[in-house]
Amino acid sequence: MPCNCCEITDTQFNEDRAKEDIKYYLKHGPAKQTKLILEAVRSLKLKNASLLDIGGGIGTIYHELMQDVVNNVIHVDASSAYLKVAKEESIKLGKDKQIQFVHADFTDVENEIDKVDIVTLDRVVCCYPNYRELLTVAGKHSKRALVMTYPRETWYFRIVLGIVNFFQKLSNDPFRVFIHPIHQMESLLNELGFSRTSTKCLFIWEMSLYEREAV
Ligand SMILES: C[S@@+](CC[C@H](N)C(=O)[O-])C[C@H]1O[C@@H](n2cnc3c(N)ncnc32)[C@H](O)[C@@H]1O
């Protein structure tokens, strides 16, 4: 589904980048921050779970979790190149029939997407200006847990992003990277009925697992 967000992200997350990412994954396995998400999901001890991977890129999270935790997946992504590569890899793994691939900005199609056990957003909120809207609709779709990675609010990453965004502007590319306020993302998820049960930090990325509070 074409949208402004898709046009912007399609240019940024294009075919070359998707090919590089799958090559890296097949050689080295999941990236460090993605491993934190995988550990967090596995700590929930679920079986045959459903997963919504928003901005799942080449599909690393579900290529891994379909081995032991997850049996059906919805991958919504604003990048058509990433979706294509993710689908090709799923076909190789014989799992494509259990995955729904949706090319869209999730906020535009959320009404058409089923609720699932687990929602993941690996390095996605930082690519989207309106984190409140994205996390609100993401949270609404999770019956059990929401796991995400996002940049830490460090001075050094702020400097890096300032430089990156400056060059984006210079080259007339509308794509920007954002450091959203972590405590405000947390308050929002608390309002939606989630509690943070685990957080792990890397040099740039932080991972948080939010579980739905029992009612
Ligand atoms: C930095 S990439 C991360 C890809 C993958 N999760 C990873 O960590 O390798 C950001 C991804 O989020 C997607 N994205 C950003 N905002 C989105 C939105 N509102 N709806 C769907 N996908 C979105 C982009 O298309 C892209 O695939």
Side-chain angles (χ1 to χ4, degrees):
M1 173 176 293
C3 63
N4 190 28
C5 160
C6 293
E7 275 168 38
I8 295 170
T9 47
D10 257 344
T11 319
Q12 188 67 26
F13 302 110
N14 56 24
E15 217 176 309
D16 290 344
R17 187 145 175 190
K19 281 183 186 157
E20 269 173 36
D21 284 6
I22 192 77
K23 203 168 149 193
Y24 182 91
Y25 165 60
L26 293 175
K27 192 164 177 199
H28 302 282
K32 279 186 189 161
Q33 68 280 352
T34 309
K35 278 187 188 158
L36 296 181
I37 290 193
L38 299 174
E39 279 168 25
V41 173
R42 289 193 167 113
S43 74
L44 300 170
K45 308 265 181 247
L46 300 176
K47 288 277 170 226
N48 300 322
S50 51
L51 170 79
L52 166 61
D53 195 10
I54 303 171
I58 57 159
T60 305
I61 290 178
Y62 56 85
H63 300 323
E64 296 290 320
L65 290 178
M66 287 182 99
Q67 294 169 19
D68 54 349
V69 179
V70 162
N71 70 359
N72 66 83
V73 174
I74 309 170
H75 176 180
V76 182
D77 210 299
S79 159
S80 54
Y82 270 154
L83 279 169
K84 181 170 176 272
V85 167
K87 189 169 185 177
E88 283 165 4
E89 185 58 21
S90 307
I91 292 171
K92 275 196 221 154
L93 297 170
K95 301 283 189 193
D96 56 303
K97 302 277 182 299
Q98 291 148 262
I99 306 165
Q100 188 187 339
F101 297 93
V102 183
H103 180 216
D105 175 336
F106 181 64
T107 63
D108 288 338
V109 294
E110 56 109 2
N111 284 329
E112 298 151 39
I113 303 291
D114 289 342
K115 286 191 179 171
V116 295
D117 298 310
I118 311 154
V119 173
T120 48
L121 300 115
D122 189 6
R123 302 187 304 154
V124 177
V125 282
C126 48
C127 298
Y128 200 72
N130 192 341
Y131 74 88
R132 293 195 71 84
E133 191 183 4
L134 182 58
L135 286 184
T136 300
V137 290
K140 264 174 45 188
H141 282 74
S142 163
K143 291 190 270 190
R144 179 72 204 268
L146 182 150
V147 197
M148 61 175 180
T149 57
Y150 45 84
R152 293 171 59 201
E153 294 176 283
T154 55
W155 62 267
Y156 48 85
F157 198 54
R158 281 190 199 285
I159 292 175
V160 172
L161 280 204
I163 296 169
V164 168
N165 288 336
F166 173 73
F167 281 105
Q168 288 292 112
K169 194 173 176 184
L170 266 192
S171 55
N172 277 329
D173 184 331
F175 182 80
R176 298 284 182 277
V177 187
F178 306 90
I179 301 184
H180 295 306
I182 296 172
H183 67 281
Q184 285 181 23
M185 293 197 285
E186 168 133 356
S187 301
L188 176 65
L189 288 166
N190 292 158
E191 281 165 29
L192 293 170
F194 291 91
S195 292
R196 182 161 51 86
T197 54
S198 170
T199 297
K200 300 233 164 98
C201 288
L202 298 169
F203 185 60
I204 291 175
W205 302 102
E206 183 167 302
M207 181 286 306
S208 285
L209 164 64
Y210 286 88
E211 290 185 66
R212 222 173 236 300
E213 291 154 9
V215 275

